[in-house]
Amino acid sequence: MELWAVWLIIAGILLVAEMLTLTFYLLWLGVGAAAAAVAAWLMPDSLIVQILAGCVTALVLTFATKSLTSRIQTAKGFTDPIDDLIGKEGVVLEEITFGKRGIVKVGNETWSAFSKQNLPKDEVVLVIARGTTIVEVQKRGGNK
């Protein structure tokens, strides 16, 4: 198999993994692998050039995106839609016990969740805090 095809397969796997995680960590690695595929197509005998093309592309995109997103997040009027989760009600889909995460449905989305309370399946809960990928919940009307 041609090396450019291997790079494209790696890029595809990384891009699919990114779609499943929604973190943007794998996106630029996938684009870097695609750049390495282009380098492999243009210069099939130079593995070093291919690796450098992929690494440089991923690094440049990562650093360029970091400054762009920090400017957007500090702009006047910016609100993170995920912050709107706090105070919303949800339903426990997978039991939550103290020290063990469960799954909660809030609106049309499912979230990993933890609680300082034991919460059985189908319990109606209130979101009291959120992280990047996990929410903290408590029984509706309960104390923290």
Side-chain angles (χ1 to χ4, degrees):
M1 181 181 288
E2 296 289 329
L3 196 51
W4 62 267
V6 174
W7 283 116
L8 279 181
I9 291 169
I10 292 169
I13 290 169
L14 288 168
L15 293 174
V16 168
E18 173 58 41
M19 286 188 272
L20 296 173
T21 62
L22 301 174
T23 59
F24 285 105
Y25 296 124
L26 300 174
L27 177 64
W28 300 141
L29 292 176
V31 174
V38 170
W41 185 63
L42 295 173
M43 303 174 82
D45 296 329
S46 182
L47 183 61
I48 298 295
V49 170
Q50 297 166 29
I51 293 170
L52 281 174
C55 290
V56 168
T57 301
L59 285 171
V60 167
L61 289 171
T62 299
F63 288 114
T65 305
K66 185 172 178 74
S67 66
L68 177 65
T69 56
S70 66
R71 277 188 278 155
I72 290 171
Q73 290 175 343
T74 58
K76 184 178 179 182
F78 174 81
T79 57
D80 190 345
I82 296 176
D83 288 334
D84 292 340
L85 284 173
I86 298 172
K88 287 195 175 179
E89 290 185 353
V91 177
V92 177
L93 298 179
E94 184 179 295
E95 178 183 25
I96 303 169
T97 57
F98 186 74
K100 183 177 176 239
R101 294 179 182 172
I103 306 279
V104 173
K105 184 171 185 172
V106 181
N108 293 327
E109 300 176 333
T110 55
W111 289 83
S112 291
F114 74 96
S115 180
K116 295 177 182 169
Q117 306 167 322
N118 290 329
L119 301 170
K121 184 178 179 190
D122 297 325
E123 178 82 37
V124 177
V125 294
L126 187 67
V127 177
I128 58 172
R130 69 129 185 128
T132 305
T133 61
I134 189 166
V135 294
E136 182 179 355
V137 295
Q138 68 181 19
K139 287 182 184 177
R140 183 177 58 180
N143 294 332
K144 195 171 179 182

